[in-house]
Amino acid sequence: MSSIWDRPEPGTRKPRHSREQIAAAALAIADREGFDAVSMRRVAEEVGAGTMTLYHYVRTKADLIDLMDDAIMGEVLIPDGELPATWRAAMRMIACSSHAAFLRHPWALRAMTDSNGGPNGLRHFEQSLAAVASLEIDTRAKLELMGIVDDYVFGYVFRSAEVTAALTARATDELIEGLLPHFELQIRSGDYPHIQALFGDADTRQTWELIVDVMTAESRFEQGLDLLLDGIEAKLAGGGAWSSAG
């Protein structure tokens, strides 16, 4: 079956709906109600069309997912002319843009793994390659560097989504109160000396609140990203060959 990107949009001079409008409607539903709520019928309602009319623009649910994925990748893209010239600043900007886009759509990394990609995905790949183009390392090493940064970004988004879901399902106070009795019993057992040392003689609740504060601090993403880039920069500056697995 051909990709939606291989097929032209409906051939009327001014079609009533565009692929961009359809993708935006599907994203709005997923953001409000979760990915499972997205259907051709719901999207048709969102754009003010009949379900059969929507099939004139989008043949299958798979096509719709491809449109949604490409719309998100469009949010990731750095505007033309704004990508920094140095590899570190460029990779940092791409990572921050990716982080922001997927935080707006935290369901997407899990729900859209079957997407076939699209033109915005290719543009993102092109920008990432441009970011590392000046580095004097081989192609494999450049791809590994890009992958390491992506792994950090996507791992952080996954983790943030889990923490947010936990805190949304139960208020922070309720969550801590529910954990404290069992937790205090466990750390008094002596089986967890480092955890016991962490809590020490301080109020257990205060230490838990500190942990939650650290885990949810908005500064954590960029702080961790800078530490990662520091390590990569030190490796590149060391003069030795990039240790490529493979």
Side-chain angles (χ1 to χ4, degrees):
M1 182 179 294
S2 64
S3 165
I4 189 171
W5 310 113
D6 298 328
R7 302 192 299 271
E9 294 201 52
T12 59
R13 179 172 297 180
K14 188 176 180 181
R16 182 179 175 189
H17 306 291
S18 69
R19 288 174 175 174
E20 289 78 12
Q21 291 171 330
I22 292 168
L27 291 180
I29 294 168
D31 290 341
R32 289 195 311 263
E33 304 170 41
F35 178 75
D36 289 342
V38 177
S39 68
M40 299 291 273
R41 180 184 62 79
R42 288 296 311 282
V43 173
E45 291 173 355
E46 189 84 6
V47 298
T51 304
M52 295 311 296
T53 299
L54 190 67
Y55 282 105
H56 182 60
Y57 298 87
V58 183
R59 293 182 183 176
T60 66
K61 179 72 175 288
D63 285 347
L64 182 60
I65 291 172
D66 286 348
L67 290 180
M68 295 170 70
D69 178 72
D70 203 57
I72 294 173
M73 294 311 299
E75 296 179 25
V76 170
L77 290 176
I78 307 302
D80 290 344
E82 294 186 15
L83 191 70
T86 61
W87 77 267
R88 177 174 177 145
M91 287 302 298
R92 191 182 194 282
M93 181 177 286
I94 291 170
C96 288
S97 182
S98 300
H99 172 246
F102 283 100
L103 276 189
R104 288 192 291 270
H105 314 289
W107 46 269
L109 289 178
R110 293 185 187 276
M112 305 181 69
T113 56
D114 292 334
S115 170
N116 294 311
N120 285 330
L122 285 175
R123 293 186 188 105
H124 167 64
F125 188 36
E126 173 71 14
Q127 286 190 339
S128 298
L129 288 171
V132 299
S134 63
L135 288 174
E136 295 181 357
I137 54 178
D138 64 27
T139 300
R140 184 185 183 93
K142 289 177 180 178
L143 293 172
E144 287 179 342
L145 190 159
M146 290 159 51
I148 288 167
V149 174
D150 275 349
D151 287 346
Y152 172 73
V153 173
F154 297 148
Y156 190 95
V157 172
F158 270 128
R159 178 67 169 171
S160 295
E162 290 175 354
V163 171
T164 299
L167 295 178
T168 300
R170 298 167 64 186
T172 303
D173 287 346
E174 179 188 351
L175 185 64
I176 292 174
E177 290 296 338
L179 289 171
L180 282 180
H182 173 74
F183 183 79
E184 289 176 336
L185 181 64
Q186 291 300 312
I187 61 174
R188 284 198 298 269
S189 71
D191 292 336
Y192 310 98
H194 292 287
I195 298 176
Q196 191 169 2
L198 170 66
F199 281 81
D201 296 327
D203 180 82
T204 305
R205 181 186 177 85
Q206 289 181 347
T207 305
W208 261 117
E209 289 174 345
L210 173 63
I211 292 171
V212 171
D213 183 57
V214 169
M215 292 297 294
T216 57
E218 292 183 4
S219 61
R220 286 184 67 237
F221 174 77
E222 293 194 27
Q223 181 185 41
L225 176 62
D226 284 334
L227 289 171
L228 175 62
L229 294 174
D230 285 346
I232 294 173
E233 193 167 45
K235 175 66 178 178
L236 293 170
W242 182 280
S243 180
S244 181

